Amino acid sequence: MRPLRLGVNVDHIATVRQARGTAYPDPVAGALLAAANGADSITIHLREDRRHIQDHDLARLTPVCPVPINLEMAVTSAMVDIGVAAKPKYVCLVPERREERTTEGGLDVAGNLPVVSEACERLAAAGCIVALFIAADPIQLAAAKASGAPQLEIHTGHYADTTGAEQAAELARIAAFARDAEAMGFEVHAGHGLNVDNVGPIAAIPEIVELNIGHAIIARSLFIGLPAAIAEIRAAMAAARPTA
Ligand code: PXP
């Protein structure tokens, strides 16, 4: 089995900071701690409403982060300008507004192909490797191919929010989608809503080479600390995927 990388999303360290307008807890310090304790990359989402990560977090993290930065952003020219200037190794384009989303919550690439393609082109020209965050939907897969993005992140939110037969059906859909996406030449990632209890079946899908996990790791770290929370999720990944 191929190795499975873990990207740790530190947005919600900033959520706690922003709740009080303090300088702590610092997501940059959290990113450095995560990188020293098993994170293969650091994911941050600079939202248009700046509800958690701020521009200065990206500016402070960029020169010191010892692992690649994966910058999540909306598909707007202002956000793409920021990505082009900051040049993170990875950019993941995500939906923020309702009209940019498919029913499952991923980016509606098919409905916004010209603007998504232009963003991919500008970010690639700046040296960023671009992923599209999409639902496991064949219509979005075909559009993603046309956009020129080399990577896809499968939205696992519906999988995480369901149980029983509905969850099993979504898992099967994700597994088939990952196979098709890899066959089309994409590098395949997954994320959203994953935790120690539900990560196993996703980690077992062999075409998926990276998981991006945030909320559950940061929440768990309140009780056991960030290094132990990362170790716990890595152990759950490794149990499902022995090379992880
Ligand atoms: N991947 C992407 C593209 C995301 O937008 C998010 C959440 O913002 C995540 C992964 C992480 O999701 P969670 O915080 O639920 O683990």
Side-chain angles (χ1 to χ4, degrees):
M1 285 270 245
R2 277 172 293 176
L4 179 60
R5 302 189 301 264
L6 173 64
V8 174
N9 181 318
V10 298
D11 290 349
H12 297 301
I13 297 177
T15 299
V16 175
R17 179 190 62 190
Q18 298 307 114
R20 277 292 181 90
T22 47
Y24 65 85
D26 182 3
V28 175
L32 298 182
L33 188 59
N37 288 277
D40 295 307
S41 54
I42 297 297
T43 294
I44 55 173
H45 185 176
L46 185 65
R47 295 187 63 99
E48 287 188 277
D49 64 10
R50 303 302 196 267
R51 73 172 67 149
H52 38 56
I53 294 294
Q54 305 296 305
D55 297 69
H56 67 79
D57 294 321
L58 174 61
R60 290 182 301 118
L61 181 62
T62 298
V64 298
C65 194
V67 294
I69 295 173
N70 173 32
L71 179 61
E72 297 175 352
M73 59 166 69
V75 191
T76 67
S77 56
M79 293 308 308
V80 172
D81 287 348
I82 290 172
V84 165
K87 296 186 182 12
K89 180 162 185 190
Y90 300 104
V91 169
C92 184
L93 297 176
V94 303
E96 287 188 17
R97 285 189 292 270
R98 182 146 293 283
E99 65 271 19
E100 296 170 341
R101 295 179 192 195
T102 61
T103 44
E104 292 83 8
L107 188 64
D108 183 10
V109 183
N112 298 278
L113 188 56
V115 62
V116 173
S117 302
E118 190 195 335
C120 289
E121 202 174 306
R122 288 188 59 208
L123 289 160
C128 304
I129 300 170
V130 179
L132 305 179
F133 186 43
I134 60 175
D137 172 353
I139 292 170
Q140 299 303 331
L141 181 58
K145 193 66 195 169
S147 77
Q151 300 186 339
L152 297 179
E153 181 162 327
I154 303 173
H155 196 309
T156 50
H158 186 59
Y159 161 81
D161 289 342
T162 50
T163 55
E166 199 178 347
Q167 187 180 50
E170 179 64 4
L171 180 63
R173 222 154 67 95
I174 290 170
F177 181 93
R179 264 196 310 279
D180 292 347
E182 190 190 62
M184 287 170 73
F186 287 106
E187 181 173 304
V188 186
H189 308 165
H192 200 88
L194 297 176
N195 57 45
V196 283
D197 297 320
N198 67 18
V199 76
I202 297 292
I205 296 172
E207 292 83 7
I208 295 176
V209 297
E210 178 178 306
L211 300 180
N212 284 296
I213 306 178
H215 188 265
I217 292 175
I218 302 307
R220 184 76 175 130
S221 76
L222 294 172
F223 295 94
I224 64 171
L226 188 55
I230 293 170
E232 206 174 64
I233 200 99
R234 285 213 78 114
M237 289 163 59
R241 177 93 155 243
T243 53

